[in-house]
């Protein structure tokens, strides 16, 4: 996972969290739900990238 991907995913997660908090503070349920969905999507991307990294590391360990 490149640093750019990590930064992009983290920024997306933080944006979703901010949106979720804003929606909660303003009692806007739609905004809160959108923020939660965006943050969850970013965390899922991060998890997928971590799995790919672990696979690459295991492959390198076996070949090296």
């Amino acid at each position: 996972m490149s640093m750019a991907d990590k930064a992009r995913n983290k920024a997306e997660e933080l944006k979703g969290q901010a949106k979720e908090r804003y929606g909660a503070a303003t009692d806007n349920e739609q905004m809160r739900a959108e923020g939660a969905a965006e943050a969850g999507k970013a965390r899922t991307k991060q998890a997928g990238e971590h799995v790919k990294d672990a696979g690459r590391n295991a492959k390198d360990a076996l070949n090296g």
Side-chain angles (χ1 to χ4, degrees):
M1 178 178 205
S2 73
M3 290 303 286
D5 288 338
K6 287 180 183 180
R8 193 176 309 116
N9 289 338
K10 190 62 174 176
E12 188 176 324
E13 179 184 3
L14 293 173
K15 178 183 165 197
Q17 288 174 346
K19 199 177 206 182
E20 184 178 6
R21 287 187 192 118
Y22 180 78
T26 60
D27 202 28
N28 183 334
E29 189 61 30
Q30 182 177 353
M31 178 77 69
R32 191 201 62 76
E34 286 176 11
E38 287 177 16
K41 182 179 174 183
R43 283 190 294 272
T44 300
K45 286 181 187 178
Q46 289 173 357
E49 290 295 331
H50 288 292
V51 169
K52 286 196 295 190
D53 286 345
R56 276 189 221 109
N57 291 340
K59 179 182 172 187
D60 291 344
L62 291 174
N63 292 331

